[in-house]
Amino acid sequence: MAMACLRLVTFLPLRPLLSVPFLRFFIARSTSLEAPLEYLRAIHSLLKQTIMTLVAIVDGAIVL
């Protein structure tokens, strides 16, 4: 008779893992902070190359 009573007991669902959303937030925040630096590095490199080319043209080192 005791075995039949166990089937009537309802267990609460497991609590959600609260660390998973924090981990996702932490990963997203860290990558969003690093992404603009890569774009700025590419823009800086392109501008530096363009300026060096313009200086070489003005100095007469490159004839078009």
Side-chain angles (χ1 to χ4, degrees), residues 41-56:
R41 183 182 300 164
I43 291 170
H44 180 271
S45 174
L46 182 63
L47 287 175
K48 183 178 176 183
Q49 182 180 9
T50 304
I51 290 172
M52 295 298 286
T53 303
L54 289 175
V55 167

Side-chain angles (χ1 to χ4, degrees), residues 9 14 16 19 27 29-30 33 41-42 45 47 49 53 59-60:
V9 175
L14 295 175
S19 60
I27 291 172
R29 186 178 59 172
S30 66
L33 290 176
R41 183 182 300 164
S45 174
L47 287 175
Q49 182 180 9
T53 303
D59 286 343

